[in-house]
Each structure stands twice: as C-alpha cells, then as structure tokens.
Amino acid sequence: MGTPEFAVGTLSRLVDDGYNIVAVVTQPDKPVGRHQDHLQPSEVKQYAVAHNIPVLQPVKMKDPAFVSELASYKADLQVVVAFRMLPEVVWSMPRFGTFNVHAALLPQYRGAAPINWAIINGEKETGVTTFFLDQNIDTGRIIRQKHFAIPDDANVEYVYDGLMKLGADIAEETINLVLEGDGKVDAIDQSSLTEGKETVLHPAPKIFKETCEVNWNQPAKRVHDFVRGLSPYPGAWTTLTAEATGQTSVLKLFHTTLLDEPTAGAQPGTIKTGKAQLCIATADRWLQIDELQMSGKKRMKAADFLNGNRNIEAYHA
C-alpha cells in the first residue's frame, strides 16, 4: 500500500526478490492539467500496471466493496509505505498483520513530512522505522530501525533518495522476520523509548504553501536549514518588495551558503550584492543565496539572476 515514488523503492525490491505481491493499493488517479481534465496515476500504480499486479484504488478505506475485494486476495501480510491512515478493518485483516515503513526514527517525527522536518530542524541523523499499525498515527510497536546520517549541506532530495533505498532494505528484513517467526516478532512499545526521560518529540505535520515562507528574523543557520529542508520541493519562498513602489514578487530559494559575516545592524530581509554574489540579512549573519527562481521564470544560479536584476538592492525580503 503506497502512492509516491518513495513507495516504489520498496515495491520494486520485493518484486525483484521474488516475493508474492498479490495486489497493490494506491490513491485514485489525480486530475491534472489546466482544466483538470487529465487523470494521472500514482507512481505505485504505474509500476504495478507495468508488472501486471492487480491495483485497488479506494476513495474511502472503509468502503464495504473495497474491504471485500481486499479480503478476497487473502494476503498474509500488508506492507504500507507513504500511504494514508488505515481503519482497523483493513490493518487487522492479514493473519500476520500490517506494518508501515516510516522515514524517521520513531517516536520522533510522526506525521506526513518526516524528511522535511528533520532537515528543517537541523538534525544530524534520521532513519527508517518499521512498526505494526494500530489505531493512531505512527504510534505502533517498533519492529526494526536503521539510521541515516544527514550531512550539513544535504537537502530533501539527498535524504529522500537515501531513505528510499534504506526503506526497501528494512521492509525486506522485516518481512523475513515476520515469516520466519510465523507472525511472532519481538516489537517494542514506543512509550518505552521515552518513559522516564526528558524527551522532546518533534512532529512532522503536512507541509502547505504558507509553511514554506521564510522568516528572516531568525538566525542564518535556521533559515539555511529551512531552505534545504524544502529543496527542491515544495521550495522555500520569500516576497521581494520594492522600497520605492511597494511592488512585490515571489522568489523561491533552493540553495544557500552560511557566511561568517555579521549583519552589523542591517535589518533582516535587507539585500546586498557583491561580485556575482547575492546575500540577504538574517537575525545574526548574512546568508548567501546560490540558487533561486522568480515567479514565472526557470530555476537559476544567483549570478545569472543578478545579470538581469541589477537593481535588486532596491528591494527587501
């Protein structure tokens, strides 16, 4: 059960290694295009169709017709990767239960966007977790975990690719554990990992457009991590405002570099340029902007942007 490319990493591994995938469950095809008149199948559906695997696409997970059809496949085990919350009638159906592959080290970063939030919060490490589903979101008993280092300058794309491969590894290991134990697997309650400890749990809620707006009244490191935690998609953004006219335009940021130069009193959001260099003031230091995109334009290097926007210092972010 899954929808995006991240889930295809696990599905393809299981198919390649000869596991008997009796069916795939994914989201309904999504309307796309200017007039929303074209239906786009999910990456998981595209892979399943290409490999002649039956595909189920319920609108509602409790739909009796879907539940009946799912039961007809008599699956021994269900594997969930980047999907949606399942009702008990679905996750309790197989004789060996249902486990989820989550792109974080639970109980940290429960929610829809664990990769983004780990980077935004400046974490040095994340990983993948398999756990048995229960009634709540990402709270079930942990089966296995694998760790993954986050380099200081890594963005979402780098961590996503790494965790997609690691997710396939841990899914296969977990399936083998379940099969070897005939469904009996040592799993630990997540509460045992925090009990008696002063642990701050970081959530990973879904990201919306307004989530992605840069707050320049923060230290440069926080802004830098924010940008890379949203790059390349959906992309951090800021509004540029002309000092003289008040005219505004939206600028997306994809790559930044931390500088040691203090702002020396410059207001956060102040823009300055040097030789092929574009910088914006934060609460403590200047942050160099390396790659960006203006509304309606293509993504480009800052040097190329400056060639066509020589009056950029007349704006502020």
Side-chain angles (χ1 to χ4, degrees), residues 2 6 11 18 33 69 96 112-113 116 132 169 180 193 263 284 306 309:
F6 192 87
L11 176 59
E69 184 179 9
F96 292 153
N116 301 92
F132 286 116
D169 293 342
E180 289 164 6
L193 299 176
T263 57
D284 59 353
L306 289 172
N309 295 273

Side-chain angles (χ1 to χ4, degrees), residues 37-214:
D37 54 358
H38 176 68
L39 292 177
Q40 177 70 37
S42 71
E43 286 90 341
V44 163
K45 179 180 179 179
Q46 293 177 48
Y47 180 92
V49 169
H51 291 79
N52 299 311
I53 302 171
V55 177
L56 287 69
Q57 296 178 271
V59 175
K60 295 182 178 179
M61 299 300 292
K62 291 183 179 180
D63 179 2
F66 162 69
V67 173
S68 177
E69 184 179 9
L70 183 64
S72 73
Y73 286 99
K74 297 181 171 59
D76 297 302
L77 178 67
Q78 292 175 159
V79 182
V80 180
V81 187
F83 196 44
R84 56 203 281 193
M85 189 171 181
L86 304 182
E88 185 171 358
V89 67
V90 172
W91 59 256
S92 64
M93 186 181 294
R95 66 189 183 108
F96 292 153
T98 301
F99 75 81
N100 183 284
V101 178
H102 187 70
L105 298 173
L106 292 173
Q108 294 291 358
Y109 297 104
R110 294 170 177 154
I115 297 175
N116 301 92
W117 286 108
I119 300 172
I120 288 170
N121 289 336
E123 300 286 2
K124 300 290 187 182
E125 181 183 63
T126 184
V128 288
T129 302
T130 51
F131 66 94
F132 286 116
L133 265 67
D134 61 14
Q135 291 91 343
N136 299 309
I137 298 176
D138 301 334
T139 59
R141 293 177 299 126
I142 292 174
I143 308 167
R144 284 289 184 273
Q145 290 189 322
K146 285 182 176 291
H147 295 247
F148 183 85
I150 304 177
D152 289 341
D153 207 36
N155 65 6
V156 170
E157 186 173 39
Y158 174 88
V159 180
Y160 181 100
D161 290 345
L163 294 189
M164 182 164 61
K165 180 184 181 301
L166 207 60
D169 293 342
I170 200 172
E172 188 165 16
E173 286 183 19
T174 301
I175 290 171
N176 292 340
L177 280 172
V178 172
L179 297 181
E180 289 164 6
D182 197 32
K184 295 180 176 62
V185 177
D186 288 335
I188 61 172
D189 289 335
Q190 293 189 36
S191 59
S192 68
L193 299 176
T194 57
E195 193 173 345
K197 302 175 183 177
E198 293 184 4
T199 304
V200 176
L201 293 182
H202 299 288
K206 187 175 180 179
I207 288 175
F208 299 95
K209 181 181 178 181
E210 54 269 26
T211 312
C212 303
E213 183 177 9
V214 176

